[in-house]
């Protein structure tokens, strides 16, 4: 059982999309304090209006080591860390700018969560019931067409999630990997297809946490793709190749 009531949580990239959905779910479930992290505090105004007593704005660009250092001294306690902030570019691995895009995406999608988690681990270890939720992607399980560099950054986050879970097993900190397919946020506005709402990702993530699951495929697309992967990793690769 992982009851969200009275918990203290921090959500990165909280100002929109899936991050905002995590904050709203935590609020509804009775969390005590929700640190909503964003790299531009003005973008948090509509979210803070929901409940300024519970939702606290914090400045955080996950690629900024100074922000991370300041945040770690600003927060007195923490039960749940949600590494949600991320960027995605449409870019193939053979494109001229693939190296530059790969560096940028690794900074935000992998090094950011790694550094932030390290900085907040001491607080999480003091909590009687703690969790780290890492928002990877089904593209982190098998490289998605036209998003090769992004997929590699999400595969790195997937590996980090597994490694952290192993390292923290004795500390009883739950580490949950979240692997969505296309979700209806600004990130996928160019994809014309039926997409679940970000609230579904939040709801299924917390359900998985409560059930003690290690990872969650929060939508039909990712669940189907993961089933193909479990059948045989190359089956998913072939399915993605046909989507090009
Ligand atoms: N939407 C999907 O289909 C999908 C599928 C699989 C995985 N995901 C993952 O889900 C997570 C949330 O994405 P989303 O769909 O909600 O996309 P989104 O609407 O584009 O939101 C991305 C969030 O990340 C923040 N962010 C980006 N770079 C940051 C940085 N350096 N420091 C701090 N915050 C930063 C953005 O802040 P700004 O507003 O300042 O830019 C924004 O709040 C991402 O990790 C994404 O890779 C999404």
């Amino acid at each position: 059982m992982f009851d969200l009531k009275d918990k203290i949580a921090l959500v990165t990239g909280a100002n929109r999309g899936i991050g905002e959905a995590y904050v709203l779910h935590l609020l509804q479930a009775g969390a005590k304090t929700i640190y909503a992290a964003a790299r531009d505090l003005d973008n948090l105004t509509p979210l803070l209006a929901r409940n300024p007593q519970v939702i606290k704005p914090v400045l955080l660009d996950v690629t900024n080591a100074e922000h991370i250092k300041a945040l770690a001294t600003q927060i007195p306690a923490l039960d749940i860390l949600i590494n949600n902030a991320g960027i995605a570019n449409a870019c193939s691995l053979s494109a001229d700018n693939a190296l530059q895009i790969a560096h940028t995406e690794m900074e935000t999608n992998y090094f950011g969560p790694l550094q932030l988690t390290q900085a907040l681990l001491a607080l999480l270890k003091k909590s009687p019931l703690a969790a780290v939720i890492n928002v990877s992607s089904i593209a982190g399980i098998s490289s998605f067409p036209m998003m090769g560099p992004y997929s590699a950054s999400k595969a790195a986050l997937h590996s980090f999630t597994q490694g952290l879970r192993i390292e923290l097993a004795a500390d009883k900190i739950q580490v949950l990997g979240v692997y969505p397919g296309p979700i209806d946020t600004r990130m996928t506005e160019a994809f014309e297809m039926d997409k679940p709402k970000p609230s579904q990702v939040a709801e299924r993530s917390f359900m998985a946490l409560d059930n003690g699951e290690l990872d969650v495929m929060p939508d039909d697309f990712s669940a189907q793709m993961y089933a193909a992967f479990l059948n045989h990793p190359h089956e998913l690769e072939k399915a993605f190749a046909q989507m090009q």
Side-chain angles (χ1 to χ4, degrees):
M1 281 287 286
F2 201 109
D3 192 353
L4 300 176
K5 193 161 168 35
D6 292 328
K7 290 285 184 298
I8 303 172
L10 185 144
V11 182
T12 68
N15 55 292
R16 59 185 162 102
I18 295 171
E20 182 185 44
Y22 277 122
V23 173
L24 293 175
H25 190 107
L26 283 157
L27 182 68
Q28 206 178 11
K32 183 162 77 181
T33 305
I34 308 160
Y35 294 105
R39 52 184 170 173
D40 182 344
L41 293 178
D42 286 345
N43 291 336
L44 287 169
T45 308
L47 187 57
L48 298 185
R50 298 290 194 115
N51 190 331
Q53 310 302 322
V54 173
I55 306 173
K56 306 286 178 199
V58 287
L59 180 68
L60 179 67
D61 179 331
V62 297
T63 66
N64 186 320
E66 292 306 315
H67 285 186
I68 292 177
K69 219 163 103 184
L71 184 65
T73 58
Q74 195 182 336
I75 291 182
L78 188 66
D79 303 304
I80 305 167
L81 168 62
I82 305 184
N83 284 309
N84 162 77
I87 51 167
N89 292 276
C91 177
S92 68
L93 290 160
S94 50
D96 288 346
N97 61 346
L99 188 61
Q100 180 234 320
I101 295 280
H103 275 291
T104 314
E105 290 179 340
M106 286 297 271
E107 285 295 334
T108 304
N109 298 347
Y110 173 58
F111 292 118
L114 172 62
Q115 197 175 2
L116 182 66
T117 307
Q118 283 187 338
L120 299 176
L121 210 47
L123 291 179
L124 290 168
K125 285 185 179 185
K126 283 186 201 152
S127 160
L129 185 62
V132 177
I133 299 178
N134 287 339
V135 184
S136 177
S137 166
I138 192 65
I141 301 292
S142 185
S143 189
F144 204 73
M146 290 307 295
M147 297 186 84
Y150 171 77
S151 302
S153 72
K154 289 297 186 178
L157 184 62
H158 167 55
S159 179
F160 166 57
T161 305
Q162 290 180 316
L164 190 70
R165 189 182 296 132
I166 291 166
E167 289 183 24
L168 297 182
D171 291 286
K172 307 244 183 306
I173 298 177
Q174 270 180 253
V175 181
L176 178 74
V178 184
Y179 302 87
I183 304 297
D184 192 11
T185 69
R186 205 183 296 173
M187 189 173 276
T188 58
E189 58 193 1
F191 292 176
E192 282 182 22
M193 59 186 283
D194 272 349
K195 289 169 283 190
K197 290 187 191 329
S199 55
Q200 182 172 318
V201 179
E203 193 186 325
R204 303 235 171 133
S205 299
F206 291 123
M207 206 187 288
L209 195 66
D210 199 30
N211 291 336
E213 289 162 29
L214 305 183
D215 43 39
V216 60
M217 311 296 144
D219 53 279
D220 289 351
F221 181 92
S222 64
Q224 278 169 23
M225 293 299 125
Y226 193 56
F229 174 81
L230 291 180
N231 194 36
H232 195 290
H234 292 165
E235 193 178 313
L236 182 53
E237 227 175 278
K238 279 184 197 149
F240 281 166
Q242 280 164 8
M243 287 180 196
Q244 294 188 90

